[in-house]
Amino acid sequence: MGELFWNKVAGVVLATVLGVLAITELGHLLVPSHAADELTAENTAYPVDWAALESGASSEAVVEEGPTDYGLVLASADIGAGERAARRCAACHSFEQGGANGVGPNLWGVVGADIANHAGFSYSGALQGLEGTWTYAALDAFIENPAGYASGTAMSYRGLGNDETRLELIAYLRSLSDNPMPLPAPLAEMESEDDVDDAMSTMSDDAEDMGETAQDMPEGDGQ
């Protein structure tokens, strides 16, 4: 193949490149492009919720989670499933009454016990600096994220993120006691009692107001 052939090949390639560039430029002229901040109702070819964009509203609904109803969920939690979940902790903890401490303390009777107060175990400064007892809420938060609950803890476990499994584990830990810590009243029941108390208080106030009004009224003629 001679020089003439390669000249033809180069000419075809050059013509192709020039053609692509010409078509691209023609497309830009016919359909102008815009940056995101230049988009308007006039230069978009599909419907857009401009009010939502301008207000910064999200298309996803925000779900607000209320407090965990420990009285309700722990009463119905599967303790057997919690015991199975506890097996992943057996490398560091023992669970039987009077069991030896390991990398972590023995967990018999931990629910309701003082934090960092198990006999014979050397706790990290992070846990020693915490006050109070292992309530259901405290255990829930600690098991979910130990380092987040007690920054600097020596516990290497990263946490149990599954809510159902975590609560089953807490229900199992609660059972490790001769006198398990009482469950709190379900939140729905507490709200109902609060409503009754509020209603009784309102009725009492109304009765007092009625009595004061009756005393202020002038005496009648006996009819």
Side-chain angles (χ1 to χ4, degrees):
M1 293 179 286
E3 182 179 349
L4 179 60
F5 172 79
W6 290 112
N7 287 340
K8 290 181 178 179
V9 171
V12 170
V13 172
L14 181 60
T16 302
V17 172
L18 292 175
V20 171
L21 292 176
I23 293 173
T24 301
E25 187 62 28
L26 179 61
H28 288 164
L29 293 175
L30 296 177
V31 183
S33 61
H34 300 273
D37 57 354
E38 296 175 343
L39 294 176
T40 65
E42 289 73 26
N43 60 30
T44 52
Y46 50 88
V48 176
D49 188 349
W50 296 102
L53 289 177
E54 291 173 0
S55 64
S58 171
S59 59
E60 297 182 0
V62 177
V63 178
E64 296 184 0
E65 296 184 1
T68 301
D69 192 343
Y70 294 105
L72 180 65
V73 296
L74 290 177
S76 58
D78 186 343
I79 294 178
E83 182 177 8
R84 292 190 293 273
R87 293 173 186 170
R88 70 187 71 181
C89 312
C92 299
H93 299 277
S94 62
F95 298 90
E96 67 275 9
Q97 187 173 12
N101 294 322
V103 177
N106 171 264
L107 295 180
W108 175 272
V110 65
V111 179
D114 291 339
I115 296 176
N117 198 39
H118 186 76
F121 186 79
S122 178
Y123 291 91
S124 64
L127 280 177
Q128 290 179 13
L130 298 178
E131 298 180 354
T133 61
W134 283 122
T135 63
Y136 297 116
L139 276 172
D140 191 15
F142 181 70
I143 296 173
E144 180 180 15
N145 184 4
Y149 186 82
S151 179
T153 178
M155 185 171 177
S156 60
Y157 182 61
R158 297 182 62 182
L160 179 56
N162 185 288
D163 293 344
E164 182 178 3
T165 303
R166 191 171 63 254
L167 291 168
E168 289 170 343
L169 174 59
I170 294 173
Y172 168 65
L173 293 176
R174 174 181 178 268
S175 72
L176 303 180
S177 173
D178 292 328
N179 186 25
M181 180 178 173
L183 292 175
L187 293 180
E189 179 180 329
M190 293 177 63
E191 291 174 358
S192 177
E193 291 177 354
D194 289 342
D195 291 341
V196 172
D197 291 341
D198 290 342
M200 293 296 291
S201 177
T202 301
M203 292 173 62
S204 177
D205 292 341
D206 290 345
E208 292 179 3
D209 292 339
M210 292 175 63
E212 293 174 359
T213 301
Q215 292 177 1
D216 294 336
M217 292 177 62
E219 295 182 0
D221 56 4
Q223 292 183 356

